[in-house]
Amino acid sequence: MKLTRLALSGFKSFATPVDLAFDEGVTAVVGPNGCGKSNISDAVRWVLGEQRIRLLRGLRMEDVIFHGSARRKPVSLAEVSLIFDNGDGGLPIAYHEVAITRRLTRSGLSEYLINQSPVRLRDVQDLLSGTGLGSDAGVVMEAGMIDRLLSDRAEERRSLFEEAAGIGLYRDRKTSTERRLEKTTEDLVRLEDLIAEVQTQVRSLARQRGKTERHRQFTDERFALVMTLTRHDLAALDADGASLAAERQALAVRAPAAQESLGAREQEREARVQARATAEARRAEVERRLAAAQLEVGRLEGDVRLAGERLDNAAQRQTRAQAERDQARDAAQQATREREAAAQERAAAEAARESVQTELDRRTASEDTARQRLAEQRDAVRQLEDALQNQGATERALHAEQGVVERETADPKEQRPAGKWTRRAGPSRRGNASNARRRVSTSGPVTSCRPAANRRPRCGWSSGRPTKRRPRRPLDATPWPSWSASGWGWRRRRGS
């Protein structure tokens, strides 16, 4: 057996793969300090299975991987291989060349290979045992090992000589055998404990076996009794079956009559179901007609209420018109004639309202007639409203003309009585600029307040009480008869 090559890749300072060949004779590695000579001996020791990182001059096992330099990047795998020539069969393996390889990654994964086949560390140690290539053998001679050879302690010298003589293999086998014997002794002790425990269980199982046999005997006896009772029951059932067969024959004779009776009852039931369905349909139709009639009655009642409300509104407007006509009685004779015409129209409206009420009473009997009457009543009410509005406009125009006539017939030079000036009721609703303040005398006609050339007009409040403002006109009512295009007129105060 001879060492032929040493291959290193990523181990310590060997970043790139390096292959060192060992020829015949002595191979020496020479170089300055720090060039990596010791890394070769560390690689040999590491590939042979060295686990003590202190002997490899490191703190952790990952320190054997190249960490990088200023020009090179770090690597993630360290691999060292020892190639032996096994031509003489020194290694107990059937290969002419044997390569022992060890790999280590930065993740902590370590593996051993023999001729690129994964093996255990124990397999490597067994392969190299007896050859003097163990990790504890004198493969690498250091200064510390020379000190151990020269030491006075016989134990240290003996261990080195035994390793060199190949006794370490047998010592390891002895140690492993003693370990196995100790383990076997422990197994025997455990086996004795198990035997004692099993014997206890055997006695318990013997008692259980006796109980089981008695239970089986009792079960057989019980089965025999059950079979006897079952035979008696079968005989009774056979007798019952014969009686039931006779009864079945009698029922078979009566079956046709029963089927005919059943068919008749089925027909009667179907007739009742059809009659019930017809009654349900009639009831649904009656309910539908009743609902339609109720809807129609509700709609007619709503129309009646609407017509009543409109009649009430017409009556209210007629009442307001009557009041306006009462207030306009003091106007001109022409206005009196117009009021008489309005009274006639009001009488006509009352008659129309009575006719409408009569028509509404008759509408409950006939829907078409009620609709036609309602349309006629609406037209009559609309015409009445138009007539009332026209009458109000006519009365306002007449009142305006009357005011103009009174102002024209008044004496412009009449003296203003002392203490008889009053203020008008309010500004014009239409915002007419001609509505100025008026003065009213207790005895004379209404005169205009005309200011002098160089002084302000002295119209306004008098020493007496002002006239009372007219009440506000409702929004839906006809205008007051005294309203004119120039604003509210003024009346002479009665009394002094």
Side-chain angles (χ1 to χ4, degrees):
M1 184 186 65
K2 179 184 175 183
L3 177 62
T4 58
R5 285 186 299 116
L6 176 63
L8 304 95
S9 176
F11 184 82
K12 287 193 175 183
S13 60
F14 299 95
T16 57
V18 176
D19 195 355
L20 300 178
F22 298 98
D23 298 330
E24 298 291 338
V26 177
T27 302
V29 180
V30 182
N33 293 334
C35 66
K37 300 186 298 298
S38 301
N39 293 340
I40 297 176
S41 61
D42 293 342
V44 173
R45 188 189 298 274
W46 183 68
V47 74
L48 292 177
E50 181 61 56
Q51 301 296 325
R52 293 168 293 183
I53 192 60
R54 182 180 57 84
L55 297 179
L56 300 176
R57 299 176 301 154
L59 299 177
R60 298 179 304 170
M61 189 58 71
E62 289 79 5
D63 293 341
V64 301
I65 305 175
F66 179 68
H67 290 285
S69 62
R71 296 183 180 181
R72 293 180 180 272
K73 295 181 179 180
V75 297
S76 60
L77 176 66
E79 180 178 351
V80 178
S81 299
L82 280 177
I83 296 90
F84 296 98
D85 184 5
N86 192 27
D88 56 355
L91 295 174
I93 188 172
Y95 287 98
H96 181 73
E97 186 180 60
V98 180
I100 301 175
T101 305
R102 183 177 181 181
R103 293 175 183 171
L104 178 66
T105 60
R106 289 193 181 275
S107 61
L109 179 61
S110 177
E111 58 181 350
Y112 295 88
L113 301 97
I114 296 178
N115 289 343
Q116 304 302 321
S117 298
V119 295
R120 301 174 301 168
L121 174 61
R122 185 65 183 177
D123 298 334
V124 176
Q125 292 175 353
D126 292 342
L127 179 65
L128 297 178
S129 60
T131 60
L133 292 178
S135 59
D136 295 334
V139 179
V140 180
M141 298 298 294
E142 298 177 349
M145 297 184 67
I146 296 174
D147 293 339
R148 290 170 60 187
L149 288 173
L150 301 177
S151 175
D152 295 336
R153 298 181 60 183
E155 293 81 2
E156 296 180 358
R157 292 195 303 270
R158 182 179 178 181
S159 62
L160 290 175
F161 290 138
E162 287 179 353
E163 185 66 29
I167 303 175
L169 172 62
Y170 302 102
R171 186 179 65 244
D172 293 341
R173 290 180 180 177
K174 177 184 176 182
T175 303
S176 61
T177 304
E178 289 177 352
R179 252 191 229 108
R180 287 198 296 270
L181 287 174
E182 291 177 358
K183 188 175 181 181
T184 303
T185 304
E186 293 177 358
D187 293 341
L188 288 174
V189 173
R190 178 60 181 162
L191 183 59
E192 291 177 356
D193 296 340
L194 291 175
I195 289 172
E197 184 177 356
V198 168
Q199 287 178 354
T200 304
Q201 294 178 359
V202 165
R203 290 190 294 269
S204 176
L205 291 174
R207 291 192 298 271
Q208 293 178 7
R209 178 185 176 185
K211 293 180 180 179
T212 304
E213 291 178 353
R214 289 193 299 272
H215 179 269
R216 186 178 300 170
Q217 181 180 359
F218 293 152
T219 302
D220 294 339
E221 294 177 358
R222 179 177 176 274
F223 179 74
L225 294 174
V226 169
M227 291 299 295
T228 303
L229 293 175
T230 303
R231 284 194 292 270
H232 288 293
D233 293 340
L234 287 175
L237 289 174
D238 291 337
D240 294 341
S243 62
L244 290 175
E247 186 177 356
R248 179 175 176 275
Q249 292 178 358
L251 291 175
V253 173
R254 290 183 296 174
Q259 290 179 354
E260 293 178 358
S261 176
L262 179 62
R265 292 182 179 180
E266 286 290 337
Q267 292 178 359
E268 183 179 358
R269 186 182 64 83
E270 291 179 358
R272 290 179 180 179
V273 169
Q274 292 179 358
R276 181 179 179 183
T278 304
E280 289 289 338
R282 291 177 180 177
R283 184 179 64 83
E285 181 66 20
V286 170
E287 290 180 353
R288 185 182 63 79
R289 292 180 180 180
L290 179 60
Q294 290 178 353
L295 292 176
E296 185 66 21
V297 169
R299 187 176 60 81
L300 292 176
E301 290 178 354
D303 293 341
V304 170
R305 286 194 297 270
L306 180 60
E309 291 177 357
R310 290 184 177 179
L311 289 175
D312 293 339
N313 293 334
Q316 292 177 3
R317 287 193 294 271
Q318 290 174 1
T319 304
R320 288 193 295 270
Q322 181 64 31
E324 292 176 359
R325 284 194 297 270
D326 293 340
Q327 292 178 0
R329 287 176 184 176
D330 296 335
Q333 293 180 359
Q334 187 176 358
T336 303
R337 290 192 300 269
E338 295 290 339
R339 284 194 300 271
E340 291 177 355
Q344 294 177 0
E345 291 179 359
R346 183 178 63 81
E350 288 290 339
R353 186 179 64 83
E354 293 178 357
S355 64
V356 168
Q357 185 64 35
T358 304
E359 293 295 334
L360 289 176
D361 293 338
R362 269 191 272 168
R363 283 186 62 183
T364 56
S366 175
E367 178 184 1
D368 297 337
T369 306
R371 288 181 179 179
Q372 184 178 2
R373 295 291 183 180
L374 181 59
E376 293 176 358
Q377 186 64 25
R378 288 177 181 174
D379 294 339
V381 171
R382 190 179 298 107
Q383 292 176 4
L384 179 60
E385 291 177 354
D386 295 340
L388 291 175
Q389 291 179 0
N390 294 333
Q391 179 186 355
T394 304
E395 290 180 356
R396 289 193 298 272
L398 292 175
H399 184 70
E401 292 177 1
Q402 181 182 0
V404 172
V405 172
E406 290 178 355
R407 286 194 299 271
E408 289 177 357
T409 57
D411 187 6
K413 295 183 180 181
E414 185 180 1
Q415 299 294 331
R416 176 172 56 89
K420 299 301 182 178
W421 292 94
T422 58
R423 187 182 180 183
R424 63 173 303 191
S428 173
R429 294 186 181 180
R430 298 186 181 181
N432 193 348
S434 65
N435 293 330
R437 296 179 178 178
R438 308 289 184 181
R439 84 178 167 180
V440 179
S441 174
T442 57
S443 59
V446 179
T447 59
S448 300
C449 181
R450 298 179 180 179
N454 297 324
R455 64 183 178 85
R456 297 174 62 186
R458 300 181 62 183
C459 300
W461 297 97
S462 65
S463 58
R465 294 176 60 188
T467 58
K468 186 181 294 184
R469 180 177 295 183
R470 289 180 179 274
R472 178 174 293 180
R473 180 180 62 88
L475 296 177
D476 56 346
T478 344
W480 296 96
S482 58
W483 174 263
S484 64
S486 60
W488 289 96
W490 289 87
R491 294 186 183 182
R492 183 180 301 170
R493 293 197 304 173
R494 298 179 181 180
S496 56

